[in-house]
């Protein structure tokens, strides 16, 4: 393929003042409004950790399903005037409810047992003395009628929604599903994601670099970000800055993938083939160039029936920042979740002197965030130990401690 004239690149036009960069918010809404929901698949609950539920799950019974004893001890009727009771039986958990019919009798009860009929109060074993078949309240023991009983339906009635559609199934959600007998469920299919990294200078980390080569780091960040959050399955391929190789890989990924991520080759260099080739296959991008630092040359394509294409600027900080800020929320949306930015206050004053919206690594302590601006977007070493990216939306501004910023955690 012959080299395309630089003048055909949107960013080149922007550099000459023709095409304005769009804002971060505009870029976000163009991406989110272009996305299609992924289909659902039926799976067993033991495969469902971190998957996104595609239907509500209902309580099959009231919760709890019976008056549940909450303490090991004795059950009495609170109207009894006795302080000492004949133990007329033992109510184990997992056994049908016994019945108490004498006011000066009691039943031994175990945590998790159904409350015996004829009783309405549980006295813990610490507050009684048992001698033979008799239980006597310790001196000064008082009780509230009805105490230590988890009443039928006090958490929810039968048929209540216990898990809404669109929720991510974490440990607690899976416990709830199990408790209502939902051992199978429909969840969003994980998108097939193709990650195409580019660059002649970029080699596999297992190889020995020459003086002018670097080891490839992007897949090591992006695959855990995506797969660790259970947002997709990633296939990675590295491509040289060769238009034929890139075009061939693009054509095949556009056929097979639900989402295509490219890193590098999206700016204005003579060997930046990604944008011209994507334009050849998909037409004009939704946008190419966002008023943000890092990640200004970020481009996005989505045409009907083809995958969402995220062309991330190749610098390591730009890749991680744009993936965390745009790609992860987009994948969540495709999976049926409703991602909302979290907000956190700045721990101290912060001056953002750049003329663009900033996406900056943060650490969080005691609920407050500290920003750690990299020296430049190749300064990936700054990212060690950081928890995500925060957005300083207004350029050239002195932010004061306590200002709430949108944050995008890695996990
Ligand atoms: N004349 C202009 N030049 C550049 C502009 C501009 O506006 N005008 N923008 C700069 C900005 S901002 C960025 S970000 C980069 C993005 O360029 P590309 O997307 O074309 O990225 P590359 O040039 O391919 O790579 C950039 C940098 O990152 C290294 N890299 C690439 N892939 C990997 C990888 N898998 N692992 C580790 N490091 C990688 C690559 O070696 C480069 O050093 O453009 C600026 N230029
Ligand atoms: O997008 Mo760039 O990351 O500002 O160097």
């Amino acid at each position: 393929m012959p080299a395309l004239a630089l003048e055909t690149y949107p960013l080149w036009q922007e550099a000459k003042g023709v095409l304005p960069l769009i804002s971060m918010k505009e870029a976000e809404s163009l991406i989110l409004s272009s996305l299609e929901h992924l289909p659902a698949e039926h799976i067993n609950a033991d495969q469902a950790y971190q998957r996104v539920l595609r239907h509500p799950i209902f309580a099959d019974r009231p919760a709890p399903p019976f008056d549940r004893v909450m303490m090991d001890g004795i059950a009495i009727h609170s109207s009894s005037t006795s302080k000492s009771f004949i133990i007329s039986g033992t109510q184990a958990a997992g056994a049908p409810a016994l019945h108490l019919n004498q006011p000066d009798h009691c039943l031994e009860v175990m945590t998790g047992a159904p409350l015996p009929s004829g009783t309405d109060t549980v006295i813990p074993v610490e507050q009684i003395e048992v001698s033979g078949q008799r239980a006597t309240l310790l001196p000064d023991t008082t009780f509230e009628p009805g105490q230590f009983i988890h009443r039928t339906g006090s958490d929810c009635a039968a048929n209540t929604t216990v898990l809404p559609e669109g929720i991510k199934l974490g440990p607690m959600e899976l416990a709830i599903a199990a408790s209502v007998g939902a051992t199978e469920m429909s969840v969003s299919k994980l998108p097939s994601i193709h990650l195409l990294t580019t660059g002649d200078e970029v080699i596999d980390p297992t190889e020995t670099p020459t003086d002018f080569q670097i080891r490839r780091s992007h897949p090591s960040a992006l695959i855990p970000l995506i797969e660790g959050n259970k947002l997709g399955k990633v296939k990675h391929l590295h491509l040289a800055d060769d238009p034929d190789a890139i075009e061939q890989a693009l054509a095949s990924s556009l056929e097979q993938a639900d989402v295509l991520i490219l890193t590098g080759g999206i700016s204005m260099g003579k060997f930046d083939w990604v944008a011209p080739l994507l334009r050849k296959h998909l037409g004009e991008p939704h946008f190419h160039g966002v008023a943000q630092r890092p990640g200004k040359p970020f481009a996005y394509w989505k045409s009907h029936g083809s995958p969402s294409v995220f062309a991330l600027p190749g610098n390591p900080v730009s890749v991680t920042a744009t993936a965390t800020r745009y790609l992860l929320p987009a994948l969540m949306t495709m999976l049926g979740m409703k991602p909302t930015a979290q907000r956190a206050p700045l721990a101290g004053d912060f001056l953002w002197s750049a003329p663009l919206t900033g996406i900056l690594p943060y650490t969080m302590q005691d609920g407050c965030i500290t920003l750690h601006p990299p020296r430049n977007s190749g300064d990936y070493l700054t990212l060690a130990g950081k928890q995500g990216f925060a957005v300083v939306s207004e350029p050239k501004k002195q932010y004061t401690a306590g200002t709430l910023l949108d944050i995008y955690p890695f996990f």
Side-chain angles (χ1 to χ4, degrees):
M1 179 172 167
L4 280 119
L6 280 174
E7 281 76 6
T8 63
Y9 296 18
L11 274 191
W12 182 254
Q13 294 172 21
E14 181 273 327
K16 293 196 296 187
V18 179
L19 199 79
L21 298 172
I22 66 167
S23 72
M24 177 181 279
K25 284 278 170 216
E26 285 170 305
E28 176 186 47
S29 72
L30 283 168
I31 294 171
L32 294 182
S33 61
S34 76
L35 299 171
E36 289 155 22
H37 270 182
L38 291 154
E41 63 181 342
H42 203 73
I43 59 167
N44 280 324
D46 58 6
Q47 302 297 309
Y49 178 54
Q50 285 200 315
R51 302 293 296 274
V52 179
L53 186 66
R54 284 297 278 269
H55 54 84
I57 290 182
F58 302 102
D60 61 331
R61 301 188 294 167
F66 51 85
D67 288 339
R68 184 181 72 92
V69 170
M70 292 167 67
M71 289 285 192
D72 300 312
I74 55 169
I76 60 167
H77 199 281
S78 58
S79 61
S80 173
T81 50
S82 295
K83 297 278 180 211
S84 186
F85 304 87
I86 292 167
I87 302 171
S88 58
T90 302
Q91 176 70 65
L98 299 173
H99 181 68
L100 183 76
N101 44 21
Q102 304 248 37
D104 57 345
H105 285 201
C106 70
L107 286 161
E108 285 181 319
V109 288
M110 307 301 142
T111 304
L115 184 74
S117 58
T119 70
D120 67 357
T121 299
V122 171
I123 313 286
V125 73
E126 295 88 332
Q127 292 172 10
I128 58 173
E129 192 176 81
V130 177
S131 165
Q133 281 307 104
R134 183 165 281 280
T136 306
L137 302 191
L138 292 180
D140 303 328
T141 295
T142 57
F143 59 80
E144 288 289 323
Q147 72 180 19
F148 300 127
I149 299 164
H150 193 185
R151 285 287 179 196
T152 308
S154 58
D155 294 346
C156 78
N159 299 321
T160 305
T161 301
V162 288
L163 295 172
E165 181 178 356
I167 199 167
K168 197 165 185 175
L169 297 166
M172 295 305 110
E173 290 75 23
L174 289 173
I176 291 167
S179 74
V180 299
T183 54
E184 296 171 4
M185 55 272 285
S186 276
V187 297
S188 297
K189 259 191 156 159
L190 290 178
S192 154
I193 300 177
H194 286 202
L195 168 62
L196 305 181
T197 54
T198 67
D200 286 349
E201 76 284 25
V202 182
I203 62 158
D204 191 90
T206 57
E207 291 166 16
T208 308
T210 58
D211 290 350
F212 46 86
Q213 290 180 321
I214 57 160
R215 295 188 186 89
R216 186 162 58 237
S217 63
H218 295 163
S220 303
L222 293 181
I223 296 173
L225 260 185
I226 296 166
E227 294 192 344
N229 281 304
K230 267 284 180 69
L231 295 175
K233 289 185 200 150
V234 183
K235 263 194 202 162
H236 168 241
L237 186 65
H238 186 77
L239 301 164
D241 292 318
D242 165 12
D244 292 334
I246 296 178
E247 182 158 19
Q248 212 181 338
L250 272 182
S252 144
S253 289
L254 288 172
E255 286 276 303
Q256 296 171 34
D258 297 309
V259 173
L260 177 52
I261 305 166
L262 292 116
T263 66
I266 191 69
S267 188
M268 297 195 227
K270 278 201 154 175
F271 308 107
D272 288 343
W273 297 109
V274 169
L277 289 172
L278 280 167
R279 291 171 85 188
K280 182 174 161 191
H281 282 260
L282 297 175
E284 289 305 307
H286 275 49
F287 58 83
H288 185 180
V290 181
Q292 62 189 6
R293 179 172 296 166
K296 188 169 91 161
F298 173 36
Y300 178 75
W301 278 259
K302 175 76 185 92
S303 47
H304 187 68
S306 70
S308 294
V309 181
F310 294 81
L312 310 181
N315 274 314
V317 183
S318 318
V319 162
T320 330
T322 47
T324 308
R325 170 64 186 85
Y326 298 101
L327 175 68
L328 299 189
L331 294 175
M332 290 180 206
T333 305
M334 291 174 74
L335 285 159
M337 298 164 72
K338 291 188 178 60
T340 46
Q342 300 171 42
R343 310 193 93 195
L346 271 174
D349 292 349
F350 179 76
L351 174 66
W352 178 239
S353 49
L356 302 166
T357 292
I359 319 180
L360 302 174
Y362 71 81
T363 47
M364 183 183 276
Q365 203 178 3
D366 301 330
C368 293
I369 54 167
T370 301
L371 303 179
H372 304 270
R375 275 172 284 273
N376 60 65
S377 47
D379 173 21
Y380 58 93
L381 299 178
T382 316
L383 294 174
K386 307 305 176 289
Q387 286 151 284
F389 283 88
V391 169
V392 284
S393 50
E394 284 180 54
K396 297 188 174 178
K397 182 174 160 174
Q398 174 73 46
Y399 288 81
T400 50
T403 305
L404 286 174
L405 300 186
D406 286 348
I407 57 165
Y408 298 84
F410 295 137
F411 294 100

